[in-house]
Amino acid sequence: MKSLITYGFCLWLVVGVSTSHALSDEAVLACGAVLCLASPAAPPQCNPYLAAFYAITDKKWAKQLQKRTDFLKLCPNPTIQSVASIYAVGIRDYCDATGLNRRNRRNRDGDPYILANMPADCEQFYNYSWNQLHKRPVYRNNRWYDL
């Protein structure tokens, strides 16, 4: 029961419902999906939000990714809109240690190395205040590691 109350309060904060501006059903679904995607262990209350998110499909991965990003951007929170593309891809595929090692791989004169700088979109993702559940990877010995 306590988690349900906490979840409801969090959703209310993200949605920012006011008496003068009601959100569309899709905007509420988008805000709920962002919250649930940010959680490593989504509670059962996330089922309708995640179902709406994962129902967005396309034959081509790039189009599916764009459609999911556009859906998440329906949430009127500017910070959520800025990290929506990362949530659409999935944190485990994009900004975790494995994703950073893949994205930041370079070659210099035939010698492979991995950039130590975190990409700006991942930096913004980890600095996002609601994202405290995801640990920031660390760079050591020419490689990114999850803590």
Side-chain angles (χ1 to χ4, degrees), residues 101 112-116 138-145:
N101 287 329
Y113 69 98
I114 296 174
L115 296 176
V138 295
Y139 184 83
R140 289 187 207 133
N141 302 325
N142 192 33
R143 197 156 177 76
W144 288 95
Y145 296 94

Side-chain angles (χ1 to χ4, degrees), residues 19-35:
T19 55
S20 61
H21 295 72
L23 292 178
S24 69
D25 290 342
E26 282 193 334
V28 171
L29 285 173
C31 292
V34 170
L35 273 178

Side-chain angles (χ1 to χ4, degrees), residues 8 23 33 43 51 59 75 79 94 96 98 139 145 147:
L23 292 178
K59 291 179 183 177
C75 185
T79 306
Y94 202 70
D96 67 349
T98 304
Y139 184 83
Y145 296 94
L147 295 178

